Amino acid sequence: MSATPQKNRASRRVLAAAAGLATVGALVAAMPAGAHDRGHGHGGGPGHGHKPRTVDVQLLSFNDLHGNLEPPAGSAGNVSETQPDGTVKAIPAGGVEYLATSLRTARKGNPYSVTAAGGDMVGASPLLSGLFHDEPTIEALNGLDLDVTAVGNHEFDEGATELARLQNGGCHPVEGCYEKGKKFKGADFPYLAANVTQEKTGKPLLKPYTVWKKNGVKIGFIGVTLEGTPDIVTANGVKGLKFHDEVETINKYARELDRKGVKSIVALIHEGGAPASTSYNYDCDSPGAGDGISGPIVDIAKGITPKVDALVTGHTHQAYVCTVPDPSGKPRMVTSASSFGKLYTDTTLTYDRRTNDIVRTSVKSANHIVTRDQPKAPDMTRLIDRWNKLAAPIANKPQGWISADINGRGSTAPEKPLGNVIADAQLEGLAPADKGGAEVAFMNPGGIRADLVHKASGSEGDGVVTYGEAFTVQPFTNMMNVVDLTGAQLVTALQQQVSGPNEASPKILQVSKGLTYTLDLTKSGADRVVAGTIKLNGEAIDPARTYRVAMNEFLAGGGDGFPALGQGTNKLVGASDLDLFNAYLAAHSTATAPLAPPATDRITVIQ
């Protein structure tokens, strides 16, 4: 989901050593564009005797892991499952110890098995991975035998040079190597970025595609991120890069693969949609009114050449297995496996050895829950324990106390309890005249990456918020800005939540105490924010007056489709969002008087 990048980690160095870094140029040289044999071929050996005309290839896929090596806590770690009687049950899922077991179990008896991902494997990660610039996650993905992934927007959080390091290996340029005598090896699977080119040279930043081969079976994978990546990543993350149209790019490389004799093609697309139900086992092809899937992926799928046989998607953190017609009107499979490793998709591609193509009519696909009642993969447990030991001195430090769960990522409401806490923390920290004189604060919903969960995650005790838990909520370490905006610009910014690029999928800003307004969802576009109801501390917003507004640097740059917020002047740069969050927890909670979930009464919603 849209959110903001992590940076400025040097102060939280764990171990440091001098290290070299592969440049983007070196990356392109090391991984030239073109077909590449990725024949991991999980299980099975070469066939003997007469080969049957068709062979079933198992495609396992997942997306939006976001460095969640441990099972995600609270409601963010649940999957919704519709029961036979129509009720919906929440099932705890995810964690790479279980994901590894699920994938390895699924591969048994499938000599032709390939594992692919739809982007956002790293970025916006919990402390266990984020503190180490996501090296633990790349190491885990290597252990999961991932064959290929597309880049997502979060792969650009720390810029193209850091993405090159994740691919090629080498220790971090500032923080060095984290383990004595161990150099980070990088990903042993290719990151694909067909629609990302370097501004100066026009050349692809990374490989546009790769070809998986086994016993004469060849399947091409083309990987793209959403064209709108620059709108949801800070400017530094995408500096010097151009992002191109997903459909045009995929069609171009599908033609190239076809010319090379690769007729079976899967597109990995970091863009997605929203099914009519949030249950993972919803029948997306139900014919009823309002059923099916909506969102950007529908138009993308309809435009992609019939040469492509299946689409693995992501970005929206939704679960779906749908068919969307290709340009010739034939149904084609489009899948997404929720997020955080809670699901995986198992797709059967029937490969015709005579035509070298997939028999589209027999493509079958289903999502499966990564349940937590199966055995843990011992190698993943060892990996988590190893990195947890390094993180522990920082991760386990108490920051504050809460009396109950305070939901953020797990809340589906426009106004989230944890969003109110974060916005209030930002206002309180930046209200003093010498800190910026803020009168109101805005927080982007996509930047809230988890819930604050009352149940202890380790030995700290119930209700204790550790640094690691606070970091998991706000992992970007964004610097805060306080700027001048007119009342008219403020009103426009609030209207941009539900209009322009945000009209189809609103992004409702979390607001600090004192700001109130009505959101009328029965209306359309900007009218959904009822201008006459917008008040600050009980007074109507004056269009001509100047207000001091606090927000993170991502929003202050106009990110997430809020150009009005990018028009601020007289900027003062404050502390980081995480520092303000932790300071607020410390100031407003004790063991005997923990912080309670705040009321959500700032935005009046009419539905």
Side-chain angles (χ1 to χ4, degrees):
M1 307 291 272
S2 58
T4 42
Q6 53 219 97
K7 56 170 70 173
N8 300 338
R9 294 270 173 73
S11 60
R12 298 201 298 279
R13 187 177 309 140
V14 178
L15 294 169
L21 174 65
T23 63
V24 176
L27 172 60
V28 174
M31 306 200 70
H36 180 55
D37 191 338
R38 291 288 303 163
H40 278 186
H42 306 294
H48 296 287
H50 178 69
K51 286 182 178 174
R53 174 165 173 178
T54 62
V55 58
D56 281 348
V57 177
Q58 177 188 56
L59 171 62
L60 301 176
S61 57
F62 57 97
N63 50 277
D64 295 277
L65 181 65
H66 290 288
N68 278 264
L69 302 180
E70 296 175 297
S75 55
N78 291 336
V79 169
S80 297
E81 180 181 66
T82 300
Q83 306 301 298
D85 64 359
T87 58
V88 177
K89 183 179 173 185
I91 299 174
V96 294
E97 293 160 299
Y98 303 113
L99 179 60
T101 300
S102 288
L103 294 176
R104 289 164 188 172
T105 303
R107 288 173 190 144
K108 284 176 184 165
N110 288 285
Y112 294 85
S113 183
V114 56
T115 304
D120 276 7
M121 295 295 98
V122 301
S125 306
L127 186 93
L128 175 60
S129 187
L131 187 62
F132 307 105
H133 296 274
D134 283 312
E135 289 180 22
T137 297
I138 298 295
E139 196 180 301
L141 292 170
N142 288 344
L144 290 175
D145 282 333
L146 182 64
D147 286 297
V148 58
T149 183
V151 292
N153 51 292
H154 281 281
E155 264 81 17
F156 294 93
D157 280 352
E158 295 189 47
T161 310
E162 174 63 3
L163 175 55
R165 187 182 76 88
L166 291 181
Q167 178 75 80
N168 284 346
C171 298
H172 192 269
V174 177
E175 298 179 24
C177 300
Y178 295 112
E179 295 176 289
K180 198 172 178 182
K182 272 194 180 178
K183 186 180 169 187
F184 174 56
K185 289 184 182 137
D188 66 10
F189 51 88
Y191 261 113
L192 304 181
N195 65 331
V196 187
T197 57
Q198 297 176 71
E199 273 180 358
K200 280 184 182 168
T201 64
K203 288 181 177 170
L205 173 69
L206 294 162
K207 290 171 48 120
Y209 59 78
T210 191
V211 179
W212 178 88
K213 299 175 185 174
K214 183 164 183 193
N215 299 341
V217 173
K218 291 188 291 190
I219 298 180
F221 289 89
I222 303 167
V224 298
T225 185
L226 69 154
E227 187 182 4
T229 291
D231 302 330
I232 51 175
V233 172
T234 58
N236 280 342
V238 293
K239 200 172 178 182
L241 302 176
K242 282 190 85 167
F243 291 77
H244 303 272
D245 181 86
E246 304 94 340
V247 174
E248 287 174 16
T249 304
I250 291 168
N251 290 351
K252 169 185 163 183
Y253 287 112
R255 286 192 300 271
E256 189 171 311
L257 281 166
D258 187 61
R259 283 197 304 271
K260 291 185 172 183
V262 179
K263 308 291 184 187
S264 300
I265 302 172
V266 175
L268 309 174
I269 307 171
H270 192 70
E271 179 61 292
S277 163
T278 55
S279 290
Y280 89 96
N281 56 340
Y282 163 66
D283 180 0
C284 203
D285 291 336
S286 301
D291 273 329
I293 185 171
S294 58
I297 199 62
V298 178
D299 286 338
I300 289 172
K302 285 177 177 171
I304 289 174
T305 171
K307 292 182 196 302
V308 174
D309 298 294
L311 314 183
V312 171
T313 73
H315 188 55
T316 56
H317 291 206
Q318 302 293 312
Y320 48 84
V321 173
C322 304
T323 58
V324 177
D326 70 14
S328 70
K330 289 182 181 149
R332 177 169 52 195
M333 198 62 77
V334 179
T335 68
S336 174
S338 183
S339 64
F340 301 170
K342 294 181 288 190
L343 297 177
Y344 71 92
T345 313
D346 189 336
T347 302
T348 302
L349 302 172
T350 301
Y351 184 93
D352 186 327
R353 289 183 182 276
R354 200 171 297 169
T355 63
N356 297 328
D357 208 348
I358 301 300
V359 183
R360 190 96 74 74
T361 50
S362 50
V363 173
K364 295 186 291 292
S365 193
N367 274 327
H368 301 277
I369 300 180
V370 176
T371 59
R372 298 184 197 168
D373 57 3
Q374 60 186 320
K376 295 179 178 182
D379 57 330
M380 293 295 154
T381 304
R382 287 193 299 273
L383 182 150
I384 288 169
D385 289 349
R386 210 179 85 234
W387 288 102
N388 262 332
K389 279 197 185 86
L390 283 174
I394 294 167
N396 298 337
K397 203 173 164 196
Q399 302 298 311
W401 291 262
I402 55 174
S403 64
D405 288 2
I406 305 181
N407 283 345
R409 172 63 76 180
S411 166
T412 55
E415 182 183 348
K416 306 172 193 306
L418 190 49
N420 287 358
V421 172
I422 291 169
D424 288 353
Q426 294 176 353
L427 177 63
E428 183 172 292
L430 300 170
D434 62 333
K435 304 287 188 199
E439 300 168 83
V440 64
F442 291 135
M443 174 64 194
N444 56 309
I448 306 167
R449 303 307 299 187
D451 304 332
L452 277 186
V453 179
H454 184 262
K455 189 176 186 305
S457 60
S459 58
E460 76 273 15
D462 289 351
V464 178
V465 179
T466 64
Y467 185 91
E469 289 164 340
F471 181 98
T472 298
V473 169
Q474 294 231 274
F476 301 110
T477 323
N478 259 314
M479 303 316 288
M480 292 300 300
N481 290 183
V482 186
V483 300
D484 284 350
L485 286 171
T486 65
Q489 288 169 323
L490 268 187
V491 172
T492 301
L494 290 172
Q495 290 172 331
Q496 285 168 349
Q497 300 176 109
V498 289
S499 62
N502 294 330
E503 179 156 8
S505 182
K507 289 196 179 82
I508 305 303
L509 295 165
Q510 307 299 287
V511 299
S512 55
K513 63 186 176 197
L515 187 77
T516 55
Y517 70 94
T518 296
L519 183 66
D520 187 348
L521 297 177
T522 66
K523 295 182 176 170
S524 62
D527 291 341
R528 285 183 277 191
V529 171
V530 184
T533 65
I534 305 171
K535 292 180 180 175
L536 183 59
N537 303 321
E539 290 188 10
I541 294 286
D542 177 355
R545 197 197 129 189
T546 297
Y547 295 84
R548 292 292 283 164
V549 183
M551 63 194 113
N552 60 47
E553 60 192 335
F554 171 66
L555 278 178
D560 258 357
F562 291 100
L565 295 181
Q567 293 167 358
T569 57
N570 194 18
K571 178 168 79 172
L572 183 140
V573 177
S576 75
D577 52 8
L578 182 61
D579 287 347
L580 292 181
F581 184 46
N582 283 330
Y584 186 86
L585 290 171
H588 291 271
S589 69
T590 62
T592 52
L595 182 70
T600 49
D601 54 6
R602 300 169 190 184
I603 305 171
T604 303
V605 182
I606 300 171
Q607 287 181 310

